[in-house]
Amino acid sequence: MITKRTLLITGGAGFIGSHVVRRFVKKYPDYKIVNADKLTYAGNLGNLTDIEHEPNYYFRRIDIVDKQAVNTLFSEFGFDGVIHLAAESHVDRSITSPDEFIQTNIIGTVNLLTAFRDAIPGSDARKLFYHISTDEVYGSLEHGGYFTEQTAYDPRSPYSASKASSDHMVRAFGNTYNLPFVISNCSNNFGPNQFPEKLIPLTINNIKTSKVIPVYGKGENIRDWLYVEDHASAIDIIFHNGQPGHTYNVGGDNERKNIDLVHLLCCIMDEKLGRALGSSEKLITFVTDRAGHDLRYAIDSSKIRKELGWKPSVSFEQGMRMTVDWYLANEKWLEAIVSGAYSKYYEKMYGNRGPSVKK
Ligand code: NAD
Ligand code: DAU
């Protein structure tokens, strides 16, 4: 088969990246897909066992902070497109140790931008650097409203500040060196293969093992949730049809207070595990709040819906049920994670976290 495109997908062994890699490998057999990932604690090649032997799939273990390694990778493959997902992605970890976030999210992104700028002639019409970003760069909606593509940046955690910096660098390379780029800023993803440090898989795992469910503060914080496969479909559409130089907000129109989401998960888990309705609720424990905890995120995704015809295919409750089913059916995947360094992480993050309010 003639190779039509050679794409670099960074962070393809992580949660969202693995869904994007799978989608592209299967849907575009005439594209060469190179997954470059450092395999940090969050990277797991076990997420990709079903496609690892496909002839159009390649994996390279690369730290994007290592400039020389990045340049060598670009010389080896001569990419005409980059979809950049590799990042340190967990807000709580950025609060306890921001350094890695500066290195990977900012320096790593600049290394990729520089290599891509220098490797491919600007005249190649297919050339595109697609940067995957987050709604957290816009800050916190304390007084209502929605994040649009015009909302001013106001990052408030080391994680979101590092992502905002990387967005700025992408736009600066576009403006200064005419590097064709697109950026998308997405809301909270959920679904299979998410590392159980994040709210939904952590809650599922704790209910399963009858451990307390730690809800920060009063559980009043609001997030907008999108099923991960729907983010992957948005990335596909933006990569192929997005306007160079443009930004697209991606969201599910599924705003939920954390406490309401946890209640729903408790009900679904009781049903699936055959436990008496109400038994998981007893595990809910309100704990000390996250420092600088953003109150509300909500995405206005009308631009991608109108201009590119994208819409989510999975409803919130349907997605939650599919997610629970996946975690219950993939006990080995979960066990392999929680039996390792995860227990140390959990003790460090939650061991001394006192109660916040009485239930
Ligand atoms: P994740 O933490 O599950 O995966 C990150 C991946 O990047 C891992 O495979 C890890 O090994 C790899 N990586 C980390 N540092 C690296 C380095 N120095 N070099 C090479 N690889 C490295 O993250 P995720 O939740 O899948 O998020 C992916 C991207 O999407 C991130 O850029 C994140 O900011 C963005 N995003 C995430 C969400 C969400 O809800 N999870 C929402 C919007 C945007
Ligand atoms: O909005 C997009 C962002 O969503 C992405 O950019 C990040 O990479 C991704 O991690 C996610 O960030 P959040 O901080 O919103 O996700 P997290 O699952 O960590 O937390 C969701 C909400 O739940 C948040 O308000 C904090 C709260 N929480 C989280 C954990 C881990 C709890 O109440 N208890 C917990 O134990």
Side-chain angles (χ1 to χ4, degrees), residues 7-81:
L7 303 189
L8 170 63
I9 300 183
T10 69
F15 165 47
I16 302 170
S18 60
H19 289 272
V20 175
V21 165
R22 177 177 299 101
R23 182 182 181 95
F24 274 69
V25 165
K26 285 189 167 173
K27 191 170 165 193
Y28 304 107
D30 50 357
Y31 289 10
K32 193 183 271 187
I33 305 296
V34 181
N35 170 15
D37 197 298
K38 180 181 174 184
L39 300 183
T40 66
Y41 76 93
N44 185 350
L45 289 178
N47 293 344
L48 292 166
T49 46
D50 57 324
I51 55 109
E52 67 188 356
H53 299 300
E54 293 299 330
N56 62 337
Y57 173 69
Y58 298 76
F59 173 72
R60 293 289 182 271
R61 188 170 191 178
I62 296 275
D63 181 350
I64 58 168
V65 177
D66 180 345
K67 197 177 177 64
Q68 187 55 49
V70 169
N71 290 341
T72 306
L73 182 75
F74 276 75
S75 314
E76 184 185 356
F77 288 100
F79 303 110
D80 56 74

Side-chain angles (χ1 to χ4, degrees), residues 255-285:
E255 281 186 59
R256 294 288 183 287
K257 280 186 185 170
N258 291 339
I259 189 64
D260 296 339
L261 181 155
V262 168
H263 280 304
L264 174 63
L265 265 181
C266 286
C267 289
I268 298 175
M269 288 291 284
D270 284 345
E271 179 196 316
K272 302 271 181 193
L273 294 171
R275 293 180 184 168
L277 192 63
S279 47
S280 297
E281 303 255 330
K282 297 193 183 107
L283 299 170
I284 295 174
T285 307

Side-chain angles (χ1 to χ4, degrees), residues 336-353:
I337 290 170
V338 296
S339 61
Y342 180 78
S343 56
K344 270 200 187 145
Y345 162 84
Y346 199 89
E347 185 50 37
K348 183 177 165 200
M349 288 294 190
Y350 296 95
N352 295 322
R353 219 168 184 135

Side-chain angles (χ1 to χ4, degrees), residues 89 134-136 159 188 199 214 216 223 258 290 293 350:
S89 70
T134 170
D135 59 358
E136 299 201 12
Y159 163 69
N188 284 58
L199 178 65
Y216 296 167
R223 297 291 181 265
N258 291 339
R290 171 183 281 175
H293 197 172
Y350 296 95

Side-chain angles (χ1 to χ4, degrees), residues 202-217:
L202 185 141
T203 301
I204 293 173
N205 184 46
N206 285 17
I207 293 175
K208 199 173 132 251
T209 51
S210 300
K211 273 167 57 179
V212 298
I213 304 167
V215 175
Y216 296 167

Side-chain angles (χ1 to χ4, degrees), residues 10-18 36-44 47 62-66 84-90 100 103-105 108 131-135 159 163 184-190 193-195 197-198 225 231:
T10 69
F15 165 47
I16 302 170
S18 60
D37 197 298
K38 180 181 174 184
L39 300 183
T40 66
Y41 76 93
N44 185 350
N47 293 344
I62 296 275
D63 181 350
I64 58 168
V65 177
D66 180 345
H84 175 36
L85 295 110
E88 287 293 335
S89 70
H90 190 34
E100 282 287 301
Q103 289 300 318
T104 290
N105 298 0
H131 180 59
I132 307 298
S133 192
T134 170
D135 59 358
Y159 163 69
K163 290 296 290 186
S184 58
N185 297 79
C186 187
S187 60
N188 284 58
N189 285 214
F190 69 106
N193 305 96
Q194 189 170 28
F195 194 88
E197 64 189 352
K198 306 282 169 73
W225 295 93
H231 189 191

